[in-house]
Amino acid sequence: MNNLFRLDGKVALVTGAAYGIGFAIAEALASAGAKIAFNCREEHHLEKALADYRAKGIEARGYLCDVTDEEQVQAMVAQIREELGAVDILVNNAGIIKRIPMHEMSREEFQQVIDIDLVGPFIVSKAVIPGMIEKGHGKIINICSMMSELGRETVSAYASAKGGLKMLTRNICSEYGEHNIQCNGIGPGYIATPQTAPLRERQADGSRHPFDSFIVAKTPAARWGTPEDLMGPAIFLASEASNFVNGHILYVDGGILAYIGKQP
């Protein structure tokens, strides 16, 4: 049974995996036997990430690449194929968020979020799918969000992108399932990362940050998620254990989407 979850010899490309959720997923896939490739847009981020992977005992390959630039992506995928082999597993993790009220957000700011969070996964998926068809199998995991199901103030661009990514996931399933390519999504809840650390800092009087209290109260698990909470779901969706799971969004949110909240 454990062999169903092994990824020995598989080539996994995890975009934006220099830290946080992407790094944890890459670490998980490596622990199951996969060969790891990842990208960064900045040289200094790339070098730090490579050092962090080495510290974990992972021989990851890093590439300078902007996922919104199709020529750069095609060149990266070709280089990965030459150095490691054709990509078996793609995790579209690279993304940004801009928390700006919609009526104050510029078109350029909205477009940047859409380009990175939605157009980027389209470009990278498009680049790896031919190799997957050639090999007769492939796994694509899109990092979606609860914001593909819920709205919230200040995240109009992010919610639009993640809602689109949910539907791109289902369409890749529909279009390429016959080639033994499974495309699924992971929808993280609120995850404790360096980016969310300010929202969890204790106040001067020792009380929780108001947003921290809000999230814990809305989560049946009564805590924030951790990057490690995404490791098992990622291995499952990348492995043969999920060969008949396609077009599905697996929400890893501690139960938020199932919960109306406590009565005041």
Side-chain angles (χ1 to χ4, degrees), residues 98-107 109-110 152-157:
K98 290 182 179 292
R99 296 182 177 90
I100 305 170
M102 182 175 167
H103 70 283
E104 297 176 5
M105 188 175 227
S106 70
R107 182 195 183 284
E109 290 168 329
F110 186 92
R152 187 173 179 274
E153 64 276 6
T154 76
V155 294
S156 59

Side-chain angles (χ1 to χ4, degrees), residues 193-235:
T193 65
Q195 288 70 34
T196 60
L199 299 174
R200 289 176 282 105
E201 289 180 351
R202 290 283 177 174
Q203 304 298 282
D205 63 0
S207 63
R208 288 180 180 269
H209 188 289
F211 191 80
D212 184 11
S213 297
F214 167 70
I215 291 304
V216 171
K218 288 290 293 180
T219 307
R223 66 173 178 86
W224 288 62
T226 67
E228 290 73 22
D229 287 321
L230 302 170
M231 288 179 160
I235 290 173

Side-chain angles (χ1 to χ4, degrees), residues 11-203:
V11 177
L13 168 59
V14 186
T15 67
Y19 54 85
I21 288 173
F23 187 94
I25 288 176
E27 182 182 356
L29 300 183
S31 73
K35 295 181 284 186
I36 302 300
F38 71 98
N39 77 295
C40 287
R41 289 189 296 175
E42 304 291 342
E43 180 74 38
H44 65 283
H45 287 151
L46 181 67
E47 292 303 322
K48 183 180 185 310
L50 287 170
D52 290 340
Y53 279 109
R54 285 194 295 269
K56 292 278 189 177
I58 300 169
E59 296 183 8
R61 297 288 186 101
Y63 302 86
L64 283 174
C65 178
D66 181 343
V67 296
T68 68
D69 186 314
E70 190 161 6
E71 288 187 4
Q72 288 187 28
V73 169
Q74 290 285 351
M76 176 182 67
V77 170
Q79 189 174 354
I80 292 170
R81 182 174 187 135
E82 181 178 334
E83 295 176 354
L84 299 175
V87 173
D88 299 288
I89 302 159
L90 167 64
V91 182
N92 281 311
N93 167 76
I96 63 168
I97 187 170
K98 290 182 179 292
R99 296 182 177 90
I100 305 170
M102 182 175 167
H103 70 283
E104 297 176 5
M105 188 175 227
S106 70
R107 182 195 183 284
E108 290 73 22
E109 290 168 329
F110 186 92
Q111 189 68 58
Q112 184 185 19
V113 176
I114 298 295
D115 284 346
I116 295 174
D117 293 9
L118 178 57
V119 180
F122 162 76
I123 290 173
V124 185
S125 298
K126 176 184 172 182
V128 304
I129 284 172
M132 292 178 173
I133 292 174
E134 182 181 331
K135 295 184 80 166
H137 64 83
K139 301 281 187 176
I140 298 175
I141 304 170
N142 292 324
I143 303 303
C144 299
S145 167
M146 293 186 307
M147 295 300 107
S148 65
E149 295 287 342
L150 298 172
R152 187 173 179 274
E153 64 276 6
T154 76
V155 294
S156 59
Y158 184 77
S160 298
K162 293 302 186 178
L165 186 58
K166 175 179 70 177
M167 292 312 300
L168 180 62
T169 300
R170 292 174 176 171
N171 203 79
I172 292 173
C173 156
S174 302
E175 194 163 353
Y176 298 102
E178 65 179 320
H179 297 286
N180 194 28
I181 295 172
Q182 292 84 49
C183 182
N184 295 288
I186 293 176
Y190 285 91
I191 306 298
T193 65
Q195 288 70 34
T196 60
L199 299 174
R200 289 176 282 105
E201 289 180 351
R202 290 283 177 174
Q203 304 298 282

